[in-house]
């Protein structure tokens, strides 16, 4: 196979995370998803729950505009004791490093976190985007949240935050089709969709595969 890594981006509730897991299992590749949280926790010496709270998110605008003055005196100039920040911005910075390292090791399926932007210039990485019909997304999310949750509002908010994450940290539109090699609606057929993506990845021309091996 020409490709040594796969990124999976997805609409919330599309089944993309599950598809990534199926592909990783079928190929015998490492799934890089929750492992990112564990690795950020280890590197930053922060509780995994605190990492999960900011993973894939953006900081509130007020936090972002005041971040640069943390560690200065009340006059905004005098230096005081250094302040070690751990926030969404720091989590995104470390996540980028984790994703780049996973790519260097190879044989991995990387889920979200701007990974197609991070690895866009790597010819041996395949980028897939999973979307789904609104009613399918609502049904899937409803199955895994508490009763009474406003599922439609949750989906919209999650989609919006993922859009802002990519825009803020990578200055790209995550719905730009040119970020991806393949986009698909699984139509609730997650196993079949995983097999289709694998098949498409294996269809790389022989000359391209030879070039990637050099």
């Amino acid at each position: 196979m020409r490709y040594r890594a796969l990124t999976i981006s997805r609409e919330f509730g599309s089944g993309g995370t599950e598809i990534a897991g199926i592909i990783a299992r079928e190929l015998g590749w490492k799934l890089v998803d929750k492992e990112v949280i564990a690795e950020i926790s280890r590197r930053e010496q922060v509780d995994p729950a605190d990492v999960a709270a900011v993973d894939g998110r953006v900081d509130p605008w007020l936090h972002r505009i005041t971040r640069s003055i943390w560690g200065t005196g009340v006059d905004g100039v005098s230096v005081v004791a250094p302040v070690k920040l751990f926030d969404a911005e720091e989590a995104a910075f470390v996540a980028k490093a984790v994703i780049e390292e996973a790519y260097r090791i190879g044989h991995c399926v990387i889920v979200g976190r701007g990974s197609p932007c991070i690895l866009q210039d790597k010819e041996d990485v395949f980028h897939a985007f999973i979307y789904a019909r609104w009613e399918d997304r609502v049904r899937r999310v409803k199955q895994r949240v508490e009763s009474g949750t406003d599922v439609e509002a949750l989906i919209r908010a999650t989609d919006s935050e993922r859009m802002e994450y990519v825009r803020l940290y990578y200055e790209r539109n995550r719905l730009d089709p040119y970020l991806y090699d393949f986009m698909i609606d699984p139509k609730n057929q997650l196993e079949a969709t995983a097999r289709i993506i694998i098949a498409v990845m294996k269809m790389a021309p022989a000359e391209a595969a030879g070039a990637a091996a050099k």
Side-chain angles (χ1 to χ4, degrees):
M1 183 188 293
R2 169 189 178 185
Y3 300 103
R4 62 197 306 268
L6 163 69
T7 72
I8 294 284
S9 301
R10 71 282 187 227
E11 290 184 324
F12 184 52
S14 65
T17 299
E18 295 90 336
I19 290 168
I22 295 168
I23 294 173
R25 185 183 70 239
E26 290 294 317
L27 294 178
W29 287 7
K30 181 175 182 179
L31 179 64
V32 182
D33 187 8
K34 300 302 181 186
E35 290 80 1
V36 175
I37 294 175
E39 184 61 17
I40 294 173
S41 173
R42 185 189 69 80
R43 295 188 185 193
E44 295 293 297
Q45 298 184 341
V46 176
D47 189 278
D50 293 332
V51 178
V54 297
D55 178 48
R57 300 179 181 275
V58 297
D59 294 308
W61 71 271
L62 182 59
H63 176 93
R64 297 202 302 269
I65 65 175
T66 59
R67 193 179 197 272
S68 62
I69 65 172
W70 287 42
T72 61
V74 293
D75 59 1
V77 177
S78 305
V79 177
V80 297
V83 176
K84 173 63 175 177
L85 285 178
F86 181 78
D87 52 14
E89 182 176 328
E90 181 67 13
F93 177 79
V94 181
K96 179 176 183 289
V98 172
I99 288 168
E100 290 172 333
E101 184 174 321
Y103 162 73
R104 286 193 293 270
I105 296 171
H107 292 174
C108 57
V109 179
I110 305 168
V111 180
R113 300 174 179 85
S115 51
C117 301
I118 297 168
L119 303 175
Q120 190 65 39
D121 64 339
K122 308 298 183 182
E123 294 185 358
D124 52 0
V125 180
F126 190 87
H127 305 288
F129 185 86
I130 312 299
Y131 62 94
R133 292 170 295 184
W134 182 257
E135 56 270 26
D136 291 337
R137 298 171 67 194
V138 169
R139 177 187 52 78
R140 185 173 286 111
V141 172
K142 189 174 292 186
Q143 292 173 348
R144 63 181 196 238
V145 298
E146 294 182 3
S147 177
T149 300
D150 187 337
V151 172
E152 296 196 2
L154 175 61
I155 292 173
R156 291 191 181 95
T158 305
D159 281 350
S160 176
E161 189 143 42
R162 288 177 179 174
M163 284 283 290
E164 180 63 8
Y165 182 95
V166 173
R167 186 202 66 78
L168 179 65
Y169 298 125
Y170 300 106
E171 299 182 336
R172 296 294 299 267
N173 178 351
R174 75 186 297 265
L175 298 183
D176 179 358
Y178 291 102
L179 278 176
Y180 308 103
D181 300 297
F182 193 68
M183 305 176 78
I184 187 170
D185 177 353
K187 298 189 183 299
N188 301 313
Q189 303 296 317
L190 305 189
E191 293 274 355
T193 300
R195 289 194 294 271
I196 290 170
I197 293 173
I198 292 172
V200 173
M201 292 173 67
K202 290 181 176 179
M203 288 169 59
E207 60 271 20
K214 291 180 181 179

